């Protein structure tokens, strides 16, 4: 499997054999940056089976109970180390002390893993994708680069996400909504301002624009417009705060976005 971008990871995959592949690997990078694609490329290079497991303690212990009995190469991978309970991490520590011959454990993380896991693994950190990487990907996939591609590139974590946003029309929809916010937020009533969030997918499996992607596009569009936006400093401040809260995934998306609208409108009213 040929990767676009990530030259260090491509060189690592190309060099792999069953004998030299590390038995414990951590891929670190932003969500949707391509960690799963690289894991699949690794398994393909080794000719190994793939077994995905969830970060629950029960799943980790189940994997450990079977890992010593396999007779063929197998890549065991978990895509969310950040959500793994400390007991699950400690269980993994035991198996990584002496990983069985045919077992290769791959963990995905956004944040820096706990020191004991980090020290035992070979850790690879994903690099940001360049403009050239996106251009190469578009040529490979025969995708037409959209207008305002720079905003989309700055708002995506992966080439796959970039393709999805173009092919589904989600980026164009998001871009238009973000433009309206920057153009008219200071002119509309609070009631009409709340209509913005009706276009967002704020509940599980709901249709609409992903709120994190929307706010990210909004900030990058503001940068592209060189800050020439009425009340831009208020919009940016509240957008950065809402983004942080959404990524922490503690409060409900609806509550966060309702608060985002309210604080922007209050800030605008205070300056008028």
């Amino acid at each position: 499997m040929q990767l676009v971008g990530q030259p260090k990871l491509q060189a690592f995959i190309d060099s792999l054999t069953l004998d030299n592949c590390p038995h414990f690997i951590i891929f670190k990078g932003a969500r949707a940056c391509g960690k799963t694609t690289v894991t699949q490329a690794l398994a393909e290079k080794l000719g190994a089976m793939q077994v995905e497991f969830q970060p629950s303690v029960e799943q980790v212990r189940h994997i450990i109970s079977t890992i010593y009995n396999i007779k063929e190469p197998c890549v065991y991978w978990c895509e969310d180390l950040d959500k793994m309970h400390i007991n699950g991490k400690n269980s993994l520590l035991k198996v990584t002390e002496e990983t069985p011959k045919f077992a290769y454990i791959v963990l995905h993380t956004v944040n820096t893993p706990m020191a004991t896991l980090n020290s035992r693994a070979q850790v690879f950190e994903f690099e940001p994708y360049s403009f050239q990487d996106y251009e190469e990907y578009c040529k490979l996939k025969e995708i037409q680069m959209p207008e305002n591609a720079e905003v989309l590139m700055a708002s995506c974590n992966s080439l796959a996400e970039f393709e999805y946003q173009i092919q589904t029309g989600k980026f164009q929809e998001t871009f238009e909504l973000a433009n309206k916010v920057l153009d008219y937020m200071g002119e509309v009533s609070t009631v009409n301002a709340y209509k913005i969030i009706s276009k967002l997918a704020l509940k599980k499996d709901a249709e609409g624009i992903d709120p994190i992607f929307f706010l990210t596009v909004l900030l990058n569009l503001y940068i592209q417009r060189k800050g020439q936006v009425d009340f831009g400093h208020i919009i940016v401040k509240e957008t950065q705060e809402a983004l942080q809260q959404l990524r922490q995934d503690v409060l409900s998306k609806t509550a966060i976005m309702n608060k985002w609208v309210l604080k922007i409108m209050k800030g605008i009213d205070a300056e008028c």
Side-chain angles (χ1 to χ4, degrees):
M1 181 184 294
Q2 186 67 32
L3 303 175
V4 175
Q6 309 303 329
K8 293 179 182 179
L9 280 169
Q10 183 68 69
F12 168 68
I13 296 294
D14 290 342
S15 71
L16 287 181
T17 66
L18 289 172
D19 293 326
N20 69 14
C21 182
H23 285 273
F24 184 29
I25 298 169
I26 293 176
F27 289 137
K28 179 184 176 184
R31 296 197 184 282
C33 69
K35 298 186 286 292
T36 298
T37 299
V38 172
T39 299
Q40 292 170 341
L42 181 150
E44 182 179 302
K45 185 65 165 61
L46 296 179
M49 299 181 295
Q50 297 182 50
V51 175
E52 181 183 4
F53 63 97
Q54 300 304 310
S56 67
V57 176
E58 294 77 12
Q59 280 270 295
V60 173
R61 289 175 176 168
H62 172 71
I63 288 297
I64 292 172
S65 71
T66 63
I67 205 169
Y68 292 96
N69 300 319
I70 59 171
K71 304 298 181 183
E72 300 292 337
C74 185
V75 174
Y76 294 91
W77 63 281
C78 177
E79 70 172 12
D80 214 337
L81 174 59
D82 300 288
K83 292 185 178 180
M84 189 177 293
H85 191 275
I86 186 64
N87 290 342
K89 294 176 182 178
N90 286 334
S91 295
L92 278 177
L93 279 174
K94 297 174 183 178
V95 76
T96 56
E97 287 178 356
E98 191 174 347
T99 310
K101 178 181 179 181
F102 291 120
Y104 303 88
I105 300 171
V106 180
L107 305 178
H108 301 173
T109 185
V110 173
N111 302 303
T112 300
M114 60 187 252
T116 45
L117 281 177
N118 202 63
S119 64
R120 292 190 184 179
Q122 185 155 348
V123 181
F124 294 91
E125 189 160 355
F126 277 63
E127 300 172 358
Y129 290 97
S130 68
F131 184 87
Q132 290 72 25
D133 292 335
Y134 285 110
E135 280 193 320
E136 181 183 348
Y137 188 78
C138 284
K139 289 178 182 178
L140 180 67
K141 292 283 191 170
E142 298 182 344
I143 301 169
Q144 184 174 353
M145 289 279 271
E147 293 183 15
N148 304 294
E150 293 84 359
V151 173
L152 177 57
M153 292 174 192
S155 304
C156 290
N157 291 320
S158 73
L159 301 171
E161 182 183 8
F162 180 78
E163 179 182 4
Y164 169 81
Q165 294 294 343
I166 295 173
Q167 301 287 49
T168 61
K170 290 288 186 183
F171 170 63
Q172 187 59 36
E173 184 182 358
T174 306
F175 185 85
E176 290 173 0
L177 184 61
N179 253 319
K180 289 180 180 178
V181 170
L182 296 180
D183 286 338
Y184 304 117
M185 201 67 165
E187 301 176 13
V188 300
S189 66
T190 300
V191 171
N192 284 329
Y194 275 108
K195 292 180 181 179
I196 295 166
I197 63 175
S198 68
K199 298 182 181 295
L200 306 181
L202 299 179
K203 296 183 179 180
K204 187 177 180 181
D205 300 324
E207 293 292 328
I209 300 168
D210 176 73
I212 290 179
F213 182 68
F214 165 66
L215 294 182
T216 304
V217 169
L218 181 63
L219 290 176
N220 287 318
L221 179 57
Y222 177 82
I223 292 170
Q224 186 192 60
R225 292 172 57 163
K226 303 184 188 306
Q228 297 174 359
V229 176
D230 290 340
F231 308 107
H233 59 291
I234 297 172
I235 295 172
V236 167
K237 176 180 177 295
E238 301 306 336
T239 297
Q240 289 172 333
E241 182 177 322
L243 259 177
Q244 183 179 11
Q245 292 175 344
L246 286 168
R247 287 168 175 156
Q248 289 173 345
D249 197 25
V250 176
L251 299 174
S252 75
K253 294 177 182 178
T254 301
I256 293 169
M257 294 310 298
N258 278 330
K259 183 179 177 182
W260 172 78
V261 171
L262 182 61
K263 292 183 72 174
I264 288 175
M265 298 309 292
K266 282 187 173 181
I268 292 172
D269 286 344
E271 291 197 4
C272 290

